[in-house]
C-alpha cells in the first residue's frame, strides 16, 4: 500500500432486479475497464442482464477515488433504472480505517467504519460519504445568483438527527444528495450549467432578454440591422444617401425599444442593459 489513501473492497453488491446489458452499455463498459469489479449475470438466455458485482481480488488496493468511481457507476445504474442496491461487503483503507460498505435509504453507498452506528448510515439519503463528486478548488461552495429553473429543485430528506438535501431534476432524476443546503445549491448550479445550459447563459437568475421583453428585443434587433445597413451604404461612393434613411430607421427602432421598456427602477434597468450586452457578446 502507498502512503496515499488506498482502499480495498471485498464482498459483493447486488441489484434487486437484473438490468439488461443493452440498457447500460456505457456504465457496463466503465465497470469492466477498471478491473476492480467482476460483474455477475443472469443465467443463460439470449439477453444477458446484470445482477450485481463481486469484489474478489484481495490484493486490489487502489486509490479510494477510483473505488468511488466504481460505486458511483453502480449508484447511477440503480437510480436510472429504478433498482434497489444491497451490499454484503467490507472495506479497508489507509485513511478511513476499516468497516462495512452499506447502502442508505436514498440508494447511496456509505463507508461505515468500525465503531460507527450502522443504522445512522442506513437512514441517511446522502452521497457525501463517498465524496463521489469531482474535487472543487473552492470548498465554500459559493453561488452568487441562483439560476431560475423549476426543472431542478432542492428537497429536504429527514435522516434521523440529520437533514440531507437532495438535488432532483425532472429529466435526469436525482443529481446529488448533500449534508448542507449550501452545497446542494452549488451542485444544482453545477448541474444546470453542465446539462441544461441556456442560451444565452444568464448573468442573473434569468437572462436579461427574457426580463426586458420581446417588444424591446425585436426593436433592438431592427435598430441594429438598420444601423449595420447604414454603415454598409456609407462606405459606397455615390450611395451615401441610402445610409441616411437607414440611419433614421435605426434611430426610430431604438426609440420604440425605449418606449417598450417595462416599468423597472432605473438602477435595475441599468444592470439589465449591462447584462444584456455581456450575454449577447458571450453568445457570439
Amino acid at each position: 500500500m502507498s502512503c496515499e489513501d488506498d482502499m480495498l473492497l471485498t464482498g459483493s453488491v447486488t441489484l434487486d432486479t437484473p438490468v439488461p446489458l443493452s440498457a447500460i452499455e456505457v456504465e457496463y463498459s466503465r465497470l469492466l475497464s477498471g478491473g476492480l469489479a467482476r460483474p455477475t449475470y443472469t443465467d443463460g438466455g439470449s439477453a444477458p442482464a446484470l445482477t450485481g458485482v463481486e469484489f474478489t481480488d484481495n490484493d486490489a488496493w487502489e486509490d479510494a477515488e477510483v473505488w468511488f468511481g466504481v460505486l458511483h457507476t453502480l449508484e447511477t445504474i440503480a437510480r436510472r433504472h429504478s433498482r434497489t442496491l444491497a451490499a454484503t461487503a467490507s472495506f479497508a483503507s489507509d485513511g478511513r480505517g476499516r468497516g462495512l460498505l452499506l447502502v442508505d435509504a436514498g440508494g447511496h453507498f456509505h463507508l461505515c467504519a468500525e465503531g460507527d452506528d450502522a443504522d445512522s448510515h442506513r437512514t441517511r439519503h446522502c452521497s457525501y460519504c463517498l465524496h463521489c463528486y469531482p474535487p472543487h478548488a473552492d470548498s465554500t461552495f459559493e453561488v452568487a445568483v441562483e439560476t431560475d429553473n423549476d426543472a431542478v429543485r432542492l428537497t429536504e430528506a429527514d435522516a434521523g438527527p440529520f437533514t440531507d438535501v437532495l438535488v432532483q431534476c425532472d429529466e435526469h432524476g436525482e443529481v446529488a444528495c448533500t449534508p448542507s443546503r449550501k452545497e446542494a445549491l452549488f451542485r444544482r448550479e453545477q448541474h444546470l450549467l453542465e446539462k441544461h445550459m441556456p442560451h444565452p447563459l444568464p448573468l442573473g437568475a434569468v437572462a436579461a432578454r427574457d426580463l426586458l421583453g420581446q417588444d424591446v428585443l425585436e426593436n433592438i434587433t431592427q435598430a441594429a440591422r438598420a444601423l449595420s445597413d447604414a454603415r454598409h451604404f456609407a462606405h459606397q461612393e455615390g450611395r451615401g444617401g441610402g445610409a441616411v434613411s437607414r440611419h433614421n430607421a435605426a434611430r426610430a427602432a431604438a426609440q420604440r425599444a425605449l418606449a417598450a421598456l417595462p416599468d423597472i427602477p432605473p438602477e435595475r434597468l441599468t444592470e439589465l442593459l449591462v447584462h444584456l450586452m455581456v450575454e449577447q457578446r458571450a453568445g457570439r
Side-chain angles (χ1 to χ4, degrees):
M1 292 180 290
S2 70
C3 60
E4 301 296 329
D5 187 16
D6 284 1
M7 191 170 78
L8 172 69
L9 287 180
T10 55
S12 64
V13 172
T14 57
L15 296 155
D16 65 333
T17 304
V19 181
L21 296 186
S22 59
I24 54 170
E25 292 181 358
V26 174
E27 294 86 353
Y28 179 60
S29 65
R30 289 175 185 164
L31 291 176
L32 293 179
S33 64
L36 296 175
R38 186 174 69 84
T40 56
Y41 313 95
T42 50
D43 294 331
S46 58
L50 183 73
T51 60
V53 297
E54 293 180 344
F55 311 121
T56 58
D57 187 350
N58 292 328
D59 295 320
W61 287 90
E62 184 57 84
D63 187 276
E65 291 297 326
V66 177
W67 278 108
F68 294 164
V70 173
L71 298 176
H72 185 52
T73 298
L74 291 170
E75 286 184 7
T76 300
I77 292 173
R79 182 173 65 252
R80 290 179 179 173
H81 299 276
S82 301
R83 301 302 199 264
T84 300
L85 292 165
T88 306
S90 59
F91 75 91
S93 166
D94 288 340
R96 295 170 172 80
R98 62 180 62 202
L100 299 175
L101 177 69
L102 303 177
V103 181
D104 74 7
H108 302 290
F109 288 108
H110 278 238
L111 300 180
C112 177
E114 291 180 340
D116 284 358
D117 180 3
D119 287 339
S120 68
H121 283 276
R122 293 190 177 98
T123 57
R124 301 295 298 272
H125 295 71
C126 177
S127 58
Y128 188 79
C129 181
L130 294 184
H131 299 280
C132 287
Y133 302 114
H136 179 64
D138 182 4
S139 60
T140 58
F141 299 111
E142 292 293 342
V143 174
V145 178
E146 297 176 32
T147 301
D148 187 11
N149 190 323
D150 293 337
V152 186
R153 58 199 176 280
L154 305 186
T155 304
E156 292 188 351
D158 183 41
F162 308 101
T163 299
D164 296 327
V165 185
L166 287 74
V167 184
Q168 295 176 304
C169 173
D170 288 343
E171 181 179 351
H172 300 97
E174 184 180 316
V175 175
C177 187
T178 71
S180 72
R181 185 175 182 82
K182 190 172 187 179
E183 183 179 353
L185 287 171
F186 181 90
R187 298 302 176 190
R188 175 184 181 273
E189 200 70 20
Q190 181 182 26
H191 179 74
L192 285 170
L193 291 179
E194 292 176 353
K195 301 296 185 180
H196 302 266
M197 183 179 290
H199 180 76
L201 186 64
L203 275 181
V206 180
R209 69 182 188 184
D210 294 335
L211 292 173
L212 289 172
Q214 193 62 32
D215 288 345
V216 175
L217 295 175
E218 287 181 356
N219 282 293
I220 288 177
T221 299
Q222 291 176 16
R225 289 173 178 168
L227 191 60
S228 178
D229 290 344
R231 292 178 61 185
H232 172 73
F233 283 112
H235 289 292
Q236 295 188 18
E237 187 174 352
R239 300 188 63 183
V244 175
S245 62
R246 286 163 177 78
H247 192 257
N248 289 340
R251 290 178 61 85
Q255 290 298 320
R256 291 195 298 272
L258 285 171
L261 284 173
D263 187 15
I264 300 175
E267 63 277 5
R268 177 64 176 142
L269 183 59
T270 301
E271 179 187 44
L272 278 178
L273 294 177
V274 170
H275 282 197
L276 179 66
M277 294 173 64
V278 173
E279 291 166 2
Q280 288 188 330
R281 292 183 67 86
R284 289 181 179 178

